Amino acid sequence: QVQLVESGGGSVQAGGSLRLSCVASRYISRMAWFRQTPGKEREGVATIFTRSGIKTYSYADSAKGRFTISKDNTENILYLQMNSLRPEDTAMYYCAAREPGDESAILVAASYNYWGQGTQVTVSS
């Protein structure tokens, strides 16, 4: 089991920045950020794989060039730096993790075993 606790959400004007954090109760190699708005499916934003010094990243098209995912393996903390925020980025953001194995579907919510409680991000125009 892995417990995940997010923080760092808030309200910001368009063009602003926020950094989300997610503390994991133990090391786990595949972690990700998802977001969800009412009535819509949970959408993958960014994911990171870390093991033995190797790091790989993947981003949704909507996040490329604006968001950066990173991880502190010493403290088991996942981050999402979000710059140039837009009103359409408004959502509940969730930290997720999954056990190592099949490395497909890395931005698909159904493939993740563990979830945080979410942190709200609101971007005003």
Side-chain angles (χ1 to χ4, degrees), residues 4-6 21-24 31-34 42 78 93-97 112 114-119:
L4 304 171
V5 180
E6 303 102 329
S21 300
C22 170
V23 179
M31 298 186 72
W33 288 99
F34 287 79
R42 199 163 289 190
L78 181 72
Y93 283 71
Y94 296 91
C95 174
Y112 283 78
Y114 308 111
W115 293 89
Q117 82 287 353
T119 185

Side-chain angles (χ1 to χ4, degrees), residues 35-37 86-93 120-124:
R35 66 186 183 187
Q36 189 171 26
T37 54
R86 305 165 179 166
E88 53 264 40
D89 295 317
T90 295
M92 184 72 78
Y93 283 71
Q120 178 68 36
V121 171
T122 303
V123 184
S124 58

Side-chain angles (χ1 to χ4, degrees), residues 19-88:
R19 188 176 81 156
L20 307 182
S21 300
C22 170
V23 179
S25 59
R26 63 168 174 85
Y27 167 79
I28 189 163
S29 55
R30 169 68 67 186
M31 298 186 72
W33 288 99
F34 287 79
R35 66 186 183 187
Q36 189 171 26
T37 54
K40 292 191 175 181
E41 292 187 356
R42 199 163 289 190
E43 171 193 21
V45 176
T47 182
I48 185 170
F49 176 87
T50 60
R51 179 177 287 174
S52 301
I54 297 171
K55 293 183 180 180
T56 61
Y57 312 86
S58 291
Y59 293 91
D61 287 345
S62 59
K64 288 177 182 175
R66 300 188 301 127
F67 295 0
T68 302
I69 191 170
S70 62
K71 188 176 175 211
D72 180 340
N73 277 333
T74 302
E75 301 291 338
N76 294 327
I77 303 175
L78 181 72
Y79 298 102
L80 184 69
Q81 177 67 44
M82 303 186 293
N83 299 327
S84 302
L85 283 161
R86 305 165 179 166
E88 53 264 40

